[in-house]
């Protein structure tokens, strides 16, 4: 049993949980909802076990390090954070239709990590510039922030569906519009706090490694762009008439910036200058 | 929030623009949007590269807007300046109401925005403890005001959390100020120090201008270690700081662990190997095995150990090809022996026995030299960095306070009526209005359980 096998299994557990949440929403029966919750809890435990086991395996390979240093490892952590935050919200709001929007994202995240052929599943040692405690804090805070933004995105979609949806049963089962709006706002605040911490710890790390806290490289700049977008959202809420639909749109746009910061930057000239 | 900071006349209209959140939203949107360009167009490259990539006319067009160094351009700075002024006026505008709310906490018994009311059969006197108990679940201190018809109770907490606003917004100013100080008074230099040597002058990264330090950096050793997989594990320079000739500080630096001295921070940044200062040749006698080493300089002939001939080093080739194979560095020499016509011999550094094939009396080989490294050090001074870090802390603390804490107030009024009492419950919260609504409902229900259960 190794970590990547556990994580592959977890992928399917998340997929099943997503399926159950969607069934619970469509058929509005309590049983699939309960099953979905327990499946999700099982999935999180698998996800955590995979994360910890990978950490242990790195010691076996002769260089212990927290598994947060490449795309594969960050996706594993990302999926886990998304689902953990979701569980907390389900516990607080007791509405399982939210799961139908969130669990598929956790599933996609791990599926991409487990199934994509060019993923760095191999455990590699860290290059000199990455050996810093700030790095672990940096990656963790960034991904908690991204996870909160992913949920804000899911709630944004939910808001738009509810808003234009009419009176059908499916629509009726979704939370009230101002509850969803409040959820979006809460997730954006959580995300903004953690993204801020992520940018700050990244700057402190860069300063300790290279003596500059900011260098306008594309990854840094895109995280700042994301930060500007969500700051815009937070202030737009203060303007008259900017609640609800437009905020939902902004939460979707903001998540676009997150995705670009995460994946898209690799397509641009001049990489996030790890090392060199 | 209207205050008397607003000047009159035209200045007043300008003031209105700068305190408005609309300007904030516009500026932030513009910053987000324009920042994208600098990530699509590589920054600070040679003009010729741009002309190559984009063609002459696009190059001109982009250049007008400083798109090749856009984060330092006048218009990007103007956007940031607008944001800064926006923050300052906005903060100033809110200052006096905020300070009043935080520091002059006089209980106000007015009804608050979220409210409920209920008629109760019990008397005002009987309700006094009920009211106080229900408030003391959330609040520490409760103020009560009595009048002839009944009483009102007021309680609040977390008024100070309104300062979170200043934490967030002034942190941006502090940060920008720190960055400005750094860009004016900072020094960003580089120096290469060969192992065993020292350096007292650095070169600026932007202009290449030399800057003398009032101390010297000596590199005792530079080492690279590798993982089993072959990738680099660590770069390590053993440095000594020499101040007026005295070794005052000794430290091994690695990439994430720099050395600090007299306001400068010295970072491990790069490395390289040095060309050997002298060239040496080994002469091995084929018959006796006798071995002699001789120093070489290009163009100056040296004689064989037994005087049987002469050798001249013509050049040191970086990458020599021998019999169709690249063999790396090689010495190209010319030998003339016993009056015979001079002939060329090639001595590849990495293959000391190659010259055996020539079948001469002496086998020539390049003496293996110990490889010497230099360490590349970034030497920096940034007098603004502590302000930037202070800004970071304020920003995070401010966000935490603003997002997860709130200023909450509740007012409960009890008025006697012919049939009992009329109770009004109201509350306000800067955050979590939903939670406050729930609380107001709960408290209202206490006074008339039937109606609300
Ligand atoms: C980079 C610049 C800025 C950042 C990062 C920033 C950040 C924030 C954050 C995180 C909040 C809390 C939002 C919430 O409570 O939901 C906030 C609130 C606010 N900001 Fe900004 N802000 C910036 C610039 C400005 C400027 C220029 C103004 C000037 C008008 C401004 C005015 C406000 C106001 C009025 C509030 C509401 C405060 C309250 O509810 O007590 N902000 N800002």
């Amino acid at each position: 049993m190794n970590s990547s096998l556990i994580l592959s299994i977890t992928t399917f557990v998340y997929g099943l949980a997503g399926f159950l949440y969607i069934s619970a929403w469509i058929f509005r029966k309590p049983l699939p909802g309960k099953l979905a919750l327990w499946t999700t809890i099982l999935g999180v435990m698998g996800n955590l076990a995979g994360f910890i086991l990978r950490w242990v395996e790195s010691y076996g390979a002769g260089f212990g390090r927290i598994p947060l240093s490449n795309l594969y490892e960050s996706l594993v952590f990302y999926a886990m954070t998304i689902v953990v935050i979701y569980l907390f919200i389900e516990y607080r709001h007791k509405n399982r239709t939210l799961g139908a929007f969130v669990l598929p994202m956790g599933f996609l995240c791990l599926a991409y990590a487990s199934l994509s052929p060019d993923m760095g599943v191999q455990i590699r040692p860290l290059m000199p510039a990455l050996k810093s405690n700030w790095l672990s804090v940096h990656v963790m805070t960034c991904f908690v922030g991204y996870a909160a933004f992913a949920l804000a995105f899911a709630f944004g979609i939910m808001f738009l569906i509810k808003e234009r949806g009419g009176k059908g049963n499916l629509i009726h089962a979704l939370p009230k519009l101002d509850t969803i709006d409040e959820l979006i706002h809460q997730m954006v605040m959580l995300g903004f706090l953690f993204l801020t911490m992520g940018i700050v710890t990244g700057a402190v790390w860069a300063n300790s490694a290279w003596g500059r806290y900011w260098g306008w490289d594309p990854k840094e700049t895109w995280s700042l762009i994301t930060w500007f977008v969500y700051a815009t959202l937070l202030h737009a809420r203060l303007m008259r008439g900017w609640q609800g639909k437009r905020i939902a749109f902004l939460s979707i746009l903001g998540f676009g910036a997150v995705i670009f910061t995460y994946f898209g930057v690799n397509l641009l000239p001049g990489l996030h200058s790890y090392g060199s | 929030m209207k205050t008397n900071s607003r000047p009159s006349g035209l200045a007043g209209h300008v003031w209105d623009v700068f305190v408005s959140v609309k300007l904030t939203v516009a500026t932030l949107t513009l910053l987000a949007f324009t920042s994208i360009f600098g990530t699509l167009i590589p920054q600070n490259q040679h003009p010729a590269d741009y002309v190559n990539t984009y063609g002459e006319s696009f190059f001109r067009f982009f250049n007008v807007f400083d798109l090749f160094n856009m984060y330092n351009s006048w218009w990007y700075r103007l956007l940031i300046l607008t944001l800064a002024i926006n923050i300052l006026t906005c903060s100033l505008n809110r200052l006096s109401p905020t300070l009043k709310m935080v520091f002059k906490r006089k209980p106000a018994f007015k009804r608050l925005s979220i409210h409920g009311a209920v008629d109760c059969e019990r008397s005002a006197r009987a309700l006094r403890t009920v009211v106080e108990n229900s408030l003391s679940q959330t609040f520490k201190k409760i103020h009560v005001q009595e009048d002839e018809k009944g009483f009102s109770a007021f309680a609040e907490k977390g008024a100070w959390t309104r300062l979170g606003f200043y934490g967030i917004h002034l942190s941006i100013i502090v940060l920008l100020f720190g960055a400005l100080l750094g860009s004016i008074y900072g020094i960003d230099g580089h120096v290469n120090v060969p192992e065993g040597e020292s350096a007292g002058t650095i070169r600026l990264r932007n202009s290449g201008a030399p800057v003398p330090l009032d101390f010297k950096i000596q590199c005792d050793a530079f080492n690279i270690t590798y993982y089993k997989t072959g990738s680099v594990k660590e770069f390590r320079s053993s440095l000594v700081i020499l101040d007026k000739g005295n070794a005052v500080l000794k430290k091994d630096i690695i990439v994430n662990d720099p050395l600090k001295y007299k306001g400068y921070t010295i970072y491990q940044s790069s490395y390289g190997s040095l060309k050997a200062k002298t060239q040496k040749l080994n002469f091995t006698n084929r018959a006796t095995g006798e071995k002699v080493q001789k120093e070489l300089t290009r163009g100056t002939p040296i004689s064989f150990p037994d005087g049987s001939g002469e050798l001249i080093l013509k050049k040191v080739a970086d990458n020599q090809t021998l019999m169709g194979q690249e063999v790396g560095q090689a010495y190209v020499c010319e030998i003339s022996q016993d009056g015979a016509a001079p002939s060329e011999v090639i001595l590849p550094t990495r293959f000391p026995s190659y010259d055996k094939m020539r079948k001469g009396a002496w086998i020539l080989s390049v003496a293996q030299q110990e490889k010497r490294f230099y360490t590349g050090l970034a030497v920096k001074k940034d007098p603004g960095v502590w302000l930037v870090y202070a800004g970071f802390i304020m920003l995070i603390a401010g966000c935490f306070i603003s997002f997860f804490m709130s200023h909450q107030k509740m007012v409960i009024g009890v008025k006697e009526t012919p049939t009992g009492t009329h109770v009004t419950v109201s509350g306000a919260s800067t955050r979590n209005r939903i939670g406050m609504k729930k609380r107001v409902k709960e408290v209202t229900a206490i006074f008339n359980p039937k109606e609300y259960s």
Side-chain angles (χ1 to χ4, degrees):
Chain A
M1 200 71 171
N2 65 9
S3 61
S4 57
L5 179 62
I6 292 186
L7 290 166
S8 303
I9 297 171
T10 305
T11 310
F12 289 101
V13 177
Y14 280 161
L16 178 65
F19 175 77
L20 287 169
Y21 272 118
I22 293 172
S23 318
W25 178 31
I26 293 177
F27 301 112
R28 296 197 296 137
K29 290 274 185 319
L31 184 64
K34 261 194 197 128
L35 275 177
L37 174 61
W38 287 108
T39 314
T40 306
I41 291 174
L42 187 72
V44 169
M45 291 191 325
N47 203 335
L48 182 65
F51 180 82
I52 293 174
L53 193 57
R54 195 174 164 92
W55 201 341
V56 173
E57 283 164 4
S58 75
Y59 279 93
F63 41 85
R65 60 161 182 74
I66 189 165
L68 287 174
S69 67
N70 64 15
L71 187 58
Y72 176 82
E73 293 171 354
S74 65
L75 281 165
V76 168
F77 184 77
Y78 191 34
M80 184 163 74
T81 323
I82 290 178
V83 179
V84 167
I85 298 179
Y86 167 71
L87 281 176
F88 186 70
I89 292 175
E90 180 182 321
Y91 173 76
R92 280 271 295 265
H93 287 260
K94 311 270 184 285
N95 187 321
R96 295 206 170 113
T97 53
L98 303 168
F101 290 77
V102 179
L103 259 288
M105 288 204 294
F107 165 71
L108 282 179
C109 212
L110 264 197
Y112 180 42
S114 304
L115 304 177
S116 171
D118 47 27
M119 196 60 63
V121 182
Q122 250 185 351
I123 303 183
R124 291 185 189 284
L126 290 180
M127 49 200 297
L130 299 190
K131 268 190 272 175
S132 161
N133 289 333
W134 286 109
L135 174 71
S136 323
V137 187
H138 170 61
V139 176
M140 278 197 210
T141 46
C142 281
F143 279 99
V144 173
Y146 292 171
F149 290 142
L151 281 129
F153 163 80
F155 298 145
I157 303 250
M158 198 182 210
F159 187 98
L160 296 181
I161 292 177
K162 176 99 181 177
E163 219 255 338
R164 69 206 322 259
K167 285 210 170 65
N169 277 338
L170 276 184
I171 305 299
H172 186 74
L174 298 177
K176 278 192 255 146
L177 278 179
D178 53 356
T179 310
I180 306 179
D181 184 65
E182 183 65 25
L183 274 171
I184 294 176
H185 188 211
Q186 278 171 0
M187 285 303 108
V188 170
M189 290 191 299
L190 183 69
F192 194 80
L193 174 67
F194 275 88
L195 178 62
T196 305
M197 292 201 283
I199 293 175
V200 164
T201 50
V204 173
W205 166 43
N207 194 38
S208 77
W210 299 290
R212 57 148 189 78
Y213 45 82
W214 194 260
W216 294 111
D217 90 22
K219 190 130 190 153
E220 281 171 2
T221 309
W222 267 97
S223 67
L224 187 69
I225 292 170
T226 308
W227 195 73
F228 284 146
V229 172
Y230 285 103
T232 308
L233 186 156
L234 287 173
H235 289 89
R237 262 181 78 90
L238 302 170
M239 300 200 314
R240 195 174 300 161
W242 272 78
Q243 224 124 20
K245 201 168 158 186
R246 298 188 199 178
I247 294 297
F249 269 125
L250 276 178
S251 74
I252 293 169
L253 181 76
F255 191 59
V258 169
I259 293 293
F260 199 87
T261 309
Y262 195 172
F263 303 109
V265 168
N266 299 336
L267 311 172
L268 293 174
L271 280 175
H272 192 35
S273 42
Y274 274 160
S276 86
Chain B
M1 244 173 261
K2 281 270 175 290
T3 61
N4 45 11
S5 313
R6 184 182 187 278
S8 56
L10 179 66
H13 291 293
V14 175
W15 176 266
D16 286 343
V17 170
F18 276 104
V19 297
S20 73
V21 181
K22 263 192 201 141
L23 180 67
T24 316
V25 168
T27 317
L28 286 171
T29 310
L30 270 175
L31 275 169
F33 179 69
T34 55
S35 298
I36 296 175
F37 294 115
T39 68
L40 300 177
I41 302 169
Q43 299 287 297
N44 296 314
Q45 313 224 319
H46 197 271
D49 292 341
Y50 291 122
V51 175
N52 256 344
T53 321
Y54 301 106
E56 181 85 32
S57 44
F58 267 111
F59 170 74
R60 288 248 171 80
F61 179 72
F62 286 175
N63 210 14
V64 168
F65 292 101
D66 264 344
L67 284 181
F68 302 126
N69 185 16
M70 66 157 273
Y71 302 109
N72 296 314
S73 67
W74 62 269
W75 58 267
Y76 199 79
R77 287 186 175 162
L78 189 68
L79 281 176
I80 292 177
L81 184 69
T82 309
L83 197 65
I85 296 175
N86 194 187
I87 290 176
L88 283 174
T89 41
C90 176
S91 303
L92 204 63
N93 200 36
R94 295 167 60 102
L95 191 60
S96 85
T98 306
L99 290 182
K100 258 185 218 145
M101 243 178 300
V102 175
F103 295 107
K104 278 197 216 153
R105 272 182 276 161
K106 256 202 240 140
F109 297 93
K110 273 191 302 193
R111 198 181 74 176
L112 301 163
S113 60
I114 300 169
H115 50 88
V118 67
D119 286 319
C120 184
E121 287 153 8
R122 297 157 74 183
S123 70
R125 184 153 355 120
L127 285 180
R128 182 73 180 259
T129 44
V130 181
V131 167
E132 284 181 7
N133 284 345
S134 69
L135 285 178
S136 63
Q137 277 179 27
T138 332
F139 302 96
K140 269 199 212 110
K141 188 161 166 49
I142 298 155
H143 304 267
V144 180
Q145 187 182 50
E146 294 191 40
D147 51 40
E148 59 273 27
K149 285 194 216 132
F151 67 94
S152 306
F154 167 90
E156 71 173 335
K157 69 171 180 186
W160 67 273
T161 61
R162 288 182 181 267
L163 295 176
F165 171 89
Y166 286 93
I168 299 175
H169 294 92
L170 293 186
S171 75
I172 310 280
I173 305 289
V174 173
L175 254 160
L176 290 174
F177 194 68
L180 188 69
L181 268 186
S183 72
I184 297 174
Y185 298 108
I187 288 178
D188 181 358
H190 190 96
V191 61
N192 292 336
V193 189
E195 280 182 299
E197 295 181 23
S198 64
T201 305
I202 59 174
R203 285 191 176 277
L204 293 186
R205 211 165 51 124
N206 289 337
S207 60
V211 173
L213 302 174
D214 59 356
F215 57 89
K216 282 188 163 179
I217 308 165
Q218 176 179 312
C219 173
D220 282 349
F222 174 81
N223 284 301
I224 310 178
T225 47
Y226 298 90
Y227 291 108
K228 269 182 284 178
T229 59
S231 55
V232 174
K233 183 176 183 185
E234 189 179 271
F235 303 111
R236 177 181 291 267
S237 301
S238 306
L239 299 186
V240 180
I241 299 291
L242 302 170
D243 202 339
K244 301 192 185 78
N246 302 321
V248 288
L249 184 63
K250 217 171 171 159
K251 182 175 161 130
D252 284 12
I253 64 165
I254 56 177
V255 172
N256 267 301
D257 187 14
L259 177 156
K260 290 198 167 89
Y261 188 68
K262 282 199 171 164
Y264 286 92
T265 312
I266 300 165
Y267 300 86
Q268 180 68 56
S269 139
S270 61
Y271 74 100
S273 53
L274 292 167
K275 280 225 167 95
K277 267 196 258 174
T278 56
Q279 284 92 20
K280 285 182 185 150
L281 271 195
N282 284 333
F283 292 78
T284 313
N285 192 301
R286 185 181 293 273
T288 63
E290 180 196 354
K291 213 170 170 180
V292 179
Q293 193 169 76
K294 288 202 163 200
E295 216 166 276
L296 269 182
T297 338
R298 222 171 83 188
T300 321
I302 55 168
S303 56
F304 278 47
D306 58 359
S308 64
E310 277 194 337
L311 177 147
I312 298 182
L313 174 63
K314 292 174 73 179
K315 69 169 182 187
V316 178
D318 273 343
N319 202 357
Q320 180 72 26
T321 310
L322 279 177
M323 295 180 291
Q325 287 242 323
E326 290 190 347
V327 295
Q329 192 195 55
Y331 287 15
V332 180
C333 308
E334 195 178 79
I335 52 177
S336 35
Q337 269 174 306
D338 303 332
S343 62
E344 192 182 72
V345 292
I346 292 171
L347 308 171
T349 311
R350 291 213 323 263
F351 304 100
S353 45
Y354 177 80
D355 193 51
K356 276 184 187 160
M357 287 193 296
R358 195 172 45 92
K359 303 235 171 345
W362 292 94
I363 302 163
L364 310 178
S365 64
V366 176
Q368 296 297 325
Q369 302 223 3
E370 215 182 299
K371 207 173 179 184
R372 277 211 317 158
F373 285 109
Y374 66 82
T375 179
L377 303 173
V379 181
K380 309 208 178 191
K381 191 175 203 172
D382 187 345
V385 78
W386 66 275
L387 270 175
V388 173
Y389 278 23
F392 284 166
I393 292 169
M394 278 169 71
L395 178 60
I396 293 173
C399 279
F400 183 82
I401 293 166
S402 288
F403 292 157
F404 298 108
M405 300 172 115
S406 60
H407 179 195
Q408 299 178 26
K409 292 188 242 184
M410 268 185 120
V411 172
I412 300 180
V414 176
K415 270 206 177 79
E416 305 227 321
T417 59
T419 55
T421 44
H422 182 70
V423 183
T424 51
V425 180
S426 69
S429 170
T430 49
R431 169 103 22 240
N432 194 10
R433 284 176 59 83
I434 290 180
M436 183 50 86
K437 267 184 196 155
K438 235 168 97 188
R439 184 75 197 134
V440 166
K441 229 175 185 171
E442 278 167 14
V443 174
T444 315
I446 294 173
F447 300 99
N448 190 352
K450 268 174 277 160
E451 204 166 290
Y452 281 86
S453 56

